[in-house]
Amino acid sequence: MSAMKFFMPAVNQMGQGCVESSITDIAKLGFKKALIVTDAVLNQIGLVGSVAEKLGEQGIESVVFDGTQPNPTCGNVEAGLKLLQENDCDFVISLGGGSPHDCAKGVALVAANGGNIRDYEGVDVSAKPQFPLVAINTTAGTASEITRFCIITDEERHVKMAIVDKNTTPLMSVNDPELMTGMPKGLTAATGMDALTHAVEAYVSTIATPVTDCCAIKAIELIRDNLETAVKDGQSMEAREAMAYAQLLAGMAFNNASLGYVHAMAHQLGGFYDLPHGVCNAVLLPHVQSYNAQVCPQRLADVAVALGADITGMTAEEGAAKAVELIKELSARIDIPAGLKQLGVKEEDFPTLTENALKDACGLTNPKQATAEEITAIFAAAM
Ligand SMILES: [Fe+2]
């Protein structure tokens, strides 16, 4: 096994009501003025106002950027950065799910390093740590609140840029399940399947370690036991808290073992058709793992066990097939669309989607490296 580094924020707050204590802790860090990066809905429902008020009570001023789009764009990053610079903010708070966190990382990275967010596409391109970022999470989840992954859509090229950079790691993450009870069913299902995808891709990754394996398997078990309840009974604090832990663990796994072709391909669908990330992942996950089963059936058999299967007497290949079947069943139970056709994906776009998927940094650690024909075949199978 080669040498490993394990990245995550230095401080990670978890549990019901932890937003309160996190704001007290932020005040102790000595910051004066926050740029709060969020979206219009969270601003309208008053969540942003309540955080700004609590910051004010601690003597911290704040300015709000609520223009983050569901797939945040270079334009969103530029608009947030302008506000930060005009108001002399000395740190950034992201409030929301993966979109505000990723947008905030883009703002904080360019604020510290200069240039344009497009300059930082790829792995560890930036020279300096970003502006200090506190990520308050409201979904479960992308785990963007703990990761060094920042996905920004270049609206001119219609591609999602994968910025994988240790300098985008937030200073502090905050996961308060009380903020997650407001998530509608569809968002709970999509973000939960995103977390499952993180865990599975990290577990079969070529750079998985015993540390990331442990995080991934526990995440899969928690998702098995709690995702359906969180979708169907959104007020269940027990299920919400378990899913908050699941997505955190899955994030710890993929932040360090990276991902695979599900994400590399889903990023293209998201960038090209502006589709929800979690839904794209959920649809692609079983198909990419069927492909991966050619090279890592035992790893996928472990996934089947974590998903609750009894694989006694099965071969590794049969165990892997069981994992694929259980992923499809879970998706169906929480009303994830069955195929890409339902999402409006067109076969004529496969060449572009395939070409860009092969350039995405997330594919580098997929257990089997694919040809363009193979990627296209996976897209076709997922229709
Ligand atoms: Fe993801």
Side-chain angles (χ1 to χ4, degrees):
M1 204 177 296
S2 54
M4 83 143 206
K5 291 180 186 172
F6 194 87
F7 297 101
M8 73 182 293
V11 181
N12 303 277
Q13 311 232 11
M14 292 292 300
Q16 213 176 332
C18 73
V19 166
E20 298 274 349
S21 60
S22 68
I23 290 175
T24 314
D25 288 354
I26 293 167
K28 289 178 191 156
L29 297 172
F31 298 123
K32 298 281 178 267
K33 198 179 211 179
L35 174 74
I36 302 179
V37 177
T38 186
D39 61 41
V41 174
L42 294 176
N43 204 2
Q44 278 154 19
I45 63 169
L47 183 60
V48 178
S50 82
V51 169
E53 197 182 310
K54 288 185 185 110
L55 288 166
E57 287 163 9
Q58 299 287 337
I60 301 171
E61 288 181 73
S62 54
V63 178
V64 176
F65 173 69
D66 73 351
T68 310
Q69 289 170 238
N71 287 309
T73 63
C74 294
N76 293 163
V77 171
E78 281 157 25
L81 181 67
K82 189 162 175 268
L83 213 52
L84 176 141
Q85 288 167 339
E86 283 171 358
N87 290 279
D88 280 330
C89 299
D90 59 356
F91 78 118
V92 182
I93 293 179
S94 55
L95 179 59
S99 310
H101 300 319
D102 282 7
C103 184
K105 288 174 183 175
V107 171
L109 193 69
V110 181
N113 286 276
N116 183 288
I117 189 62
R118 292 178 182 85
D119 302 337
Y120 301 100
E121 187 174 7
V123 180
D124 286 336
V125 178
S126 75
K128 289 188 266 183
Q130 66 183 3
F131 258 47
L133 170 63
V134 175
I136 305 175
N137 197 28
T138 62
T139 69
T142 64
S144 181
E145 80 284 0
I146 67 156
T147 69
R148 59 196 167 108
F149 286 67
C150 168
I151 309 297
I152 302 292
T153 299
D154 184 339
E155 58 273 58
E156 285 166 18
R157 291 184 292 153
H158 296 287
V159 292
K160 276 194 167 187
M161 299 183 294
I163 297 158
V164 186
D165 194 319
K166 60 182 184 306
N167 286 333
T168 67
T169 305
L171 184 67
M172 184 194 294
S173 78
V174 182
N175 271 291
D176 183 340
E178 268 180 27
L179 303 186
M180 297 168 186
T181 56
M183 263 195 290
K185 282 187 194 321
L187 186 62
T188 304
T191 52
M193 289 305 289
D194 185 27
L196 179 64
T197 306
H198 296 155
V200 173
E201 293 214 281
Y203 192 71
V204 301
S205 156
T206 54
I207 57 167
T209 68
V211 180
T212 59
D213 285 353
C214 183
C215 296
I217 291 295
K218 186 64 187 173
I220 296 168
E221 291 171 355
L222 285 168
I223 292 165
R224 169 197 74 199
D225 291 341
N226 295 282
L227 178 55
E228 206 175 338
T229 308
V231 171
K232 292 179 178 161
D233 175 14
Q235 293 304 311
S236 166
M237 198 57 76
E238 197 185 328
R240 291 294 192 187
E241 184 160 79
M243 281 306 299
Y245 274 103
Q247 67 93 32
L248 181 93
L249 284 161
M252 288 164 68
F254 91 83
N255 196 35
N256 296 287
S258 196
L259 294 161
Y261 284 142
V262 183
H263 273 77
M265 295 168 71
H267 288 158
Q268 312 322 316
L269 298 172
F272 204 83
Y273 304 103
D274 202 21
L275 291 168
H277 173 67
V279 174
C280 296
N281 277 334
V283 173
L284 290 169
L285 180 60
H287 300 285
V288 173
Q289 299 322 314
S290 285
Y291 171 79
N292 288 342
Q294 298 172 63
V295 293
C296 59
Q298 187 54 55
R299 299 296 274 180
L300 288 163
D302 296 346
V303 169
V305 173
L307 284 169
D310 178 2
I311 61 163
T312 313
M314 288 187 191
T315 63
E317 287 74 15
E318 287 165 346
K322 190 73 190 168
V324 169
E325 184 188 318
L326 290 175
I327 291 166
K328 284 184 181 168
E329 284 176 15
L330 176 58
S331 274
R333 288 203 303 276
I334 56 173
D335 297 327
I336 294 282
L340 297 178
K341 219 175 254 172
Q342 283 181 53
L343 302 176
V345 175
K346 296 189 184 67
E347 283 178 16
E348 68 215 47
D349 299 328
F350 284 177
T352 310
L353 296 170
T354 297
E355 193 189 329
N356 290 330
L358 282 168
K359 287 184 203 154
D360 189 294
C362 292
L364 297 172
T365 45
N366 197 74
K368 180 172 161 61
Q369 287 301 297
T371 61
E373 290 71 27
E374 287 172 328
I375 295 288
T376 300
I378 298 170
F379 274 127
M383 287 294 271

